Amino acid sequence: MKKGAKQGLRDLRQPAAKEPPKITFPCDYPLKVVGDAADDFPAAVCQVIVRHAPDFDETTLEVVDSRNGRFQSVRVTIVATGEQQLSQLFDDLKATGRVHMVV
């Protein structure tokens, strides 16, 4: 570099804004639903999921307890048919008041 040449930070950075990946529907869509640990938490999650994904096979559900046992994550894979379905599913899961996070 020549002496006295200015090089700004933006010359060194990667482009900051990237578009999220496009999803082609229908597709298998994995979900992890996290809430307070309780015996009936997985069943409550299943009730909501079946309303939005009637073909969901409840036998594929996986429950993982947190290290200290305070939280549970319910892991499932559904056949997602569109963004509206996913948005409504996320809203209904959060509306239960038992779900802390959906990933």
Side-chain angles (χ1 to χ4, degrees), residues 33-53:
V33 183
V34 179
D36 292 325
D39 290 338
D40 65 337
F41 181 67
V45 170
C46 274
Q47 277 185 318
V48 176
I49 289 173
V50 168
R51 270 188 272 154
H52 296 279

Side-chain angles (χ1 to χ4, degrees), residues 2 9 15 27-28 34 38 54 56 63 71-72 81 86 95 97:
K2 288 185 175 182
L9 286 177
C27 66
D28 288 344
V34 179
F56 170 65
V63 179
F71 300 102
Q72 283 179 323
T81 57
L86 293 175

